[in-house]
Amino acid sequence: MSLTFQVAQILIGLIILCLGVTISPFPLYDYDSQFCITTELRYHLWGPFSFFISGALSIAAGRKVTKGLIQGSLGMNTVSATVAGIGIIVIILEEIIMYDTVMWRFSYAVAFLGMLTGLLLLSLAEGCIALALSIFVCRAACSVNKVVVFLPNNDNSPSPDHLYDEVAFQ
């Protein structure tokens, strides 16, 4: 498997972090003495943190295949998919509340809604990537039932009749 998904996890985390830092100073709900759900829960901080870790563990597990790295990658990708799902729910609730209450009161509310929609789409992409990687790693690691037998040849040239022997297991 190529490193495309793992690098995408890290880059999506970086973009979500940048968008979240851009969104956080908006005093959107000060007029109604309410608070902004997305920035109050700090999704723009703990979401990318889990995405960075899962991407880094997936890259490490791809480069050096050990049982600990594979299990860590599986666990962190599952956590990242869960975090992305929670983030999607929070952002959708935020957009519903914003559209019903303050959408037309502030001039920058449309820009805020656009950035929230960007966060939503990136979180959706991250959730899909983390879920796909979790499924892939689980299929590769959890259902291993085949044994690979390596028989070294003493002479330096392989014998032609043993090049493509198949071993059957029951």
Side-chain angles (χ1 to χ4, degrees):
M1 180 182 229
S2 67
L3 297 175
T4 307
F5 287 138
Q6 295 91 342
V7 172
Q9 280 185 308
I10 294 173
L11 290 177
I12 287 173
L14 182 65
I15 294 169
I16 288 176
L17 180 67
C18 291
L19 274 175
V21 168
T22 305
I23 287 174
S24 60
F26 279 105
L28 198 59
Y29 294 122
D30 287 345
Y31 184 76
D32 293 328
S33 70
Q34 295 175 348
F35 58 90
C36 182
I37 299 170
T38 308
T39 56
E40 286 293 318
L41 291 178
R42 303 287 189 247
Y43 171 71
H44 63 284
L45 298 175
W46 52 266
F49 181 71
S50 71
F51 304 154
F52 290 149
I53 292 175
S54 66
L57 275 175
S58 295
I59 289 173
R63 290 184 185 258
K64 184 178 181 185
V65 180
T66 63
K67 185 177 180 179
L69 282 176
I70 290 174
Q71 288 176 344
S73 173
L74 175 63
M76 251 343 267
N77 278 318
T78 306
V79 168
S80 288
T82 306
V83 165
I86 292 170
I88 289 167
I89 291 169
V90 166
I91 293 169
I92 287 174
L93 288 175
E94 179 75 27
E95 287 185 347
I96 290 170
I97 291 170
M98 183 181 158
Y99 189 79
D100 287 342
T101 58
V102 296
M103 179 64 184
W104 310 111
R105 266 188 225 158
F106 300 108
S107 61
Y108 53 83
V110 175
F112 187 83
L113 185 66
M115 286 188 263
L116 273 178
T117 304
L119 278 175
L120 177 67
L121 294 175
L122 288 170
S123 296
L124 186 63
E126 174 61 38
C128 291
I129 289 171
L131 188 63
L133 285 174
S134 295
I135 291 170
F136 176 75
V137 170
C138 188
R139 282 190 180 170
C142 298
S143 63
V144 174
N145 57 5
K146 295 181 182 176
V147 177
V148 177
V149 178
F150 175 70
L151 298 172
N153 196 354
N154 287 338
D155 56 346
N156 291 335
S157 64
S159 61
D161 57 334
H162 295 291
L163 279 179
Y164 300 106
D165 285 345
E166 292 187 21
V167 179
F169 295 99
Q170 295 183 17

